[in-house]
Amino acid sequence: MKAIRLREGKERSLLRHHPWVFAGSVEKGKADAGETVRVEAHDGRFLAWGAYSPESQIRVRAWSFDVAERIDAAFFARRVQAAVAMRTRLGLDTNGVRLVHGETDGLPGLIVDRYDDILSAQFLFAGTERWKQAIADALLSTTGCTRLYERSDTHAREQEGLPPSTGWLRGDGSTTATLHEHGIRLTVDVAEGHKTGYYLDQRENRALFARLVKQFGAKSVLNCYSYTGGFSVAALAGGATEVVSVDSSGPALAHASAHVALNGFEPARHSVLDADVNGTLRQMLAEGRRFDAIVLDPPKFAPNAASADRASRAYKDINRLGLMLLNPGGLLLTFSCSGGISADLFHKIVAGAGMDAGVDAYLLQRLEAASDHPTTLYFPEGEYLKGLALLRR
Ligand code: SAH
């Protein structure tokens, strides 16, 4: 077993069970991509078992802090079973569930979503890549599913120096599944959809939006960055009569229209706009259009802390425009999925946007990812999605 020796003082984060070792913390030691290594402190003390990733800034990700643990197929089976058991205990009323959420499930770099009878997975770093077949076997035997699709085609994987890899890992057939969540039906294509196919993290927020639209009697709704229209269908379910989905992806908008029909809503109550959101908001403002409810769920503007400044300005801008487009008494659900923007900072950004817009709002609720995308005490990076539900005064 190869050992990775850390520089003096660099053992602290592993001692707090944070699973990352940055390249700059390593004093000596090397291994092959994905190889299991013993990470030790400056004085040789055991810290963790981990997987080495020669090309990544995160040089080692820890599998286990227990010196007695063996990293083998049985280890991955145990971790997968524990992750799936946690979701079972959550008792979610849906067939679309995140089963493995990377570091927070003790499986760094592994994302697995279940879409009805299809599993869709991302293997995002050298360690999970190395153990892919054992993990695939564990996923199938734990869930009883027979089909597993791989969607390892992300930027994160590039940073690990790994080529993209997609396609069936187990089983084959149609890549489409039909989900039900909170009384709404959605179709997901694991080959074509974003990420593993869909944004399951917004499930509870979509349901909340339907309730708020109903409670506050919102009729006209603008869903920005709509993707396949999850929030749009939720608005229709809540009684909205005029919903506009805006996205820069034509196929996503076609899918949104199909979702409206699939759920039995009058197609005339929904329209789509294939356009850039920022420009659209400006134009709508200039035209004097106003809405009873708006959703802002943009892509990650700040993938890391370094881009937080520029991203903050971009978030502030769309939130300022969004608040100005709201009728008094209107609802705004606004989100950031950027790891580089904390919940606190996001609140400040939206407050700044309110100032600039000359608009005040009640904070109805702070929002986060659904409970099947958990964070843990020791891994604050797990907390990526944050949002606010606001009611304009
Ligand atoms: N709210 C969605 C997920 C949104 S994902 C849900 O609940 O499912 C972000 C979406 O923003 C993607 O569909 C992407 O196509 C779109 N997008 C990215 N940049 C955009 C831009 N500048 N203008 C409009 N849409 C954009």
Side-chain angles (χ1 to χ4, degrees):
M1 179 77 54
K2 292 176 186 158
I4 302 296
R5 176 76 59 99
L6 301 191
R7 292 182 198 285
E8 197 165 1
K10 295 298 183 185
E11 70 282 1
R12 283 196 207 108
S13 69
L14 284 176
L15 288 174
R16 286 196 302 265
H17 287 197
H18 187 285
W20 293 350
V21 175
F22 286 94
S25 302
V26 175
E27 181 172 291
K28 64 174 187 195
K30 265 198 177 67
D32 293 336
E35 192 176 350
T36 302
V37 291
R38 175 191 153 100
V39 186
E40 29 183 74
H42 185 68
D43 57 9
R45 220 168 2 134
F46 171 86
L47 294 170
W49 302 114
Y52 192 78
S53 185
E55 299 203 25
S56 175
Q57 271 313 301
I58 305 176
R59 196 52 52 87
V60 179
R61 296 187 200 219
W63 293 129
S64 173
F65 301 98
D66 177 359
V67 68
E69 189 130 44
R70 269 179 65 105
I71 310 304
D72 53 13
F75 165 81
F76 289 98
R78 286 196 298 279
R79 286 281 161 99
V80 166
Q81 283 158 12
V84 171
M86 184 269 188
R87 275 48 177 201
T88 306
R89 295 181 70 197
L90 289 176
L92 301 170
D93 183 20
T94 177
N95 59 346
V97 179
R98 171 143 305 184
L99 295 180
V100 180
H101 191 51
E103 275 77 349
T104 54
D105 284 302
L107 290 165
L110 178 68
I111 300 294
V112 185
D113 287 329
R114 178 176 185 155
Y115 299 111
D116 193 29
D117 70 335
I118 305 178
L119 300 177
S120 181
Q122 297 177 322
F123 297 82
L124 301 177
F125 104 111
T128 38
E129 178 71 16
R130 180 115 169 181
W131 290 96
K132 192 185 280 181
Q133 301 306 330
I135 291 168
D137 289 340
L139 285 167
L140 260 54
S141 63
T142 305
T143 59
C145 291
T146 57
R147 303 197 296 150
L148 169 62
Y149 198 88
E150 180 178 12
R151 281 299 303 273
S152 304
D153 53 346
T154 72
H155 180 60
R157 209 173 130 102
E158 260 170 57
Q159 290 175 325
E160 290 280 326
L162 296 168
S165 174
T166 57
W168 288 110
L169 266 182
R170 297 287 187 275
D172 55 18
S174 163
T175 52
T176 308
T178 302
L179 300 189
H180 58 82
E181 61 169 46
H182 300 289
I184 284 169
R185 291 207 294 160
L186 300 161
T187 53
V188 173
D189 186 334
V190 294
E192 299 295 329
H194 289 181
K195 306 201 294 180
T196 65
Y198 195 53
Y199 296 91
L200 294 174
D201 52 359
Q202 289 284 28
R203 180 196 316 112
E204 306 309 318
N205 296 324
R206 288 188 285 263
L208 172 73
F209 190 55
R211 290 198 298 276
L212 292 174
V213 162
K214 185 167 186 200
Q215 184 180 344
F216 292 98
K219 295 299 167 201
S220 56
V221 174
L222 180 63
N223 180 11
C224 297
Y225 309 95
S226 67
Y227 188 45
T228 60
F231 281 104
S232 302
V233 176
L236 292 166
T241 53
E242 187 203 335
V243 179
V244 184
S245 296
V246 188
D247 201 284
S248 55
S249 157
L253 290 170
H255 200 153
S257 299
H259 275 156
V260 171
L262 177 69
N263 287 279
F265 295 113
E266 186 64 44
R269 286 162 66 184
H270 176 246
S271 59
V272 300
L273 249 179
D274 185 345
D276 167 60
V277 162
N278 196 297
T280 300
L281 295 176
R282 281 171 207 284
Q283 193 182 339
M284 286 178 159
L285 200 60
E287 289 168 356
R289 293 197 55 181
R290 295 295 180 268
F291 295 89
D292 299 331
I294 297 177
V295 176
L296 295 171
D297 184 21
K300 214 186 275 179
F301 287 163
N304 49 46
S307 49
D309 262 9
R310 195 170 34 81
S312 299
R313 285 193 293 278
Y315 283 118
K316 186 175 176 187
D317 208 34
I318 56 168
N319 279 282
R320 178 180 60 82
L321 294 163
L323 285 165
M324 290 173 81
L325 278 165
L326 271 187
N327 283 320
L331 287 164
L332 176 66
L333 253 64
T334 180
F335 298 96
S336 162
C337 60
S338 295
I341 306 276
S342 68
D344 223 36
L345 176 57
F346 187 60
H347 186 150
K348 290 198 179 91
I349 291 168
V350 178
M355 275 289 164
D356 287 2
V359 167
D360 193 6
Y362 292 106
L363 173 49
L364 294 179
Q365 205 171 312
R366 291 175 194 279
L367 309 172
E368 57 188 9
S371 57
D372 50 341
H373 299 61
T375 55
T376 70
L377 286 175
Y378 311 132
F379 188 66
E381 287 86 348
E383 209 171 321
Y384 66 104
L385 180 67
K386 64 279 302 180
L388 303 169
L390 302 172
L391 186 69
R392 185 175 166 167
R393 301 179 68 152

